[in-house]
Amino acid sequence: MRVDKFLKVSRLIKRRSVAKEASVDAKIIVNGKIAKPSTDLKVGDIIEINYYRSILKVRVKAMLNSSKKDDALEMYDILEVIEKNNE
């Protein structure tokens, strides 16, 4: 599954277009490398998402095409949340 679609389906980012833009702007890192929107994910991959005020690190647990809220929580494990100091 493409990283932009995974981020949308897992509800880590609300819209696929926003996920694509984040990837283009180098705010998505997969396994230590900057990801393009079309980067293929597999179970076990580590994704770092650079949000405005924090960095979220998750491990891919499952690939589901469902967009149900309860299913989205089963798609990843949160590994770390790093708060940024925006002064």
Side-chain angles (χ1 to χ4, degrees):
M1 178 181 293
R2 292 170 52 115
V3 70
D4 58 346
K5 183 174 181 181
F6 178 85
L7 292 171
K8 192 263 185 225
V9 172
S10 66
R11 297 176 182 236
L12 289 167
I13 295 180
K14 287 186 178 184
R15 292 183 298 278
R16 189 167 178 178
S17 61
V18 175
K20 181 179 179 182
E21 186 177 317
S23 295
V24 169
D25 292 343
K27 295 182 185 280
I28 309 296
I29 298 172
V30 176
N31 297 327
K33 297 181 181 177
I34 295 173
K36 295 181 180 178
S38 62
T39 299
D40 269 334
L41 289 179
K42 55 189 177 299
V43 173
D45 283 348
I46 306 294
I47 304 172
E48 291 180 46
I49 306 164
N50 188 351
Y51 293 112
Y52 178 69
R53 295 185 184 218
S54 64
I55 297 172
L56 177 66
K57 188 183 275 192
V58 299
R59 178 181 292 121
V60 176
K61 217 166 78 170
M63 299 286 184
L64 306 173
N65 288 322
S66 173
S67 60
K68 296 177 186 171
K69 189 174 183 178
D70 294 335
D71 292 343
L73 297 174
E74 300 299 320
M75 294 181 70
Y76 60 89
D77 286 324
I78 296 175
L79 301 176
E80 186 176 12
V81 178
I82 303 166
E83 297 295 327
K84 295 181 191 177
N85 290 331
N86 291 330
E87 299 175 8

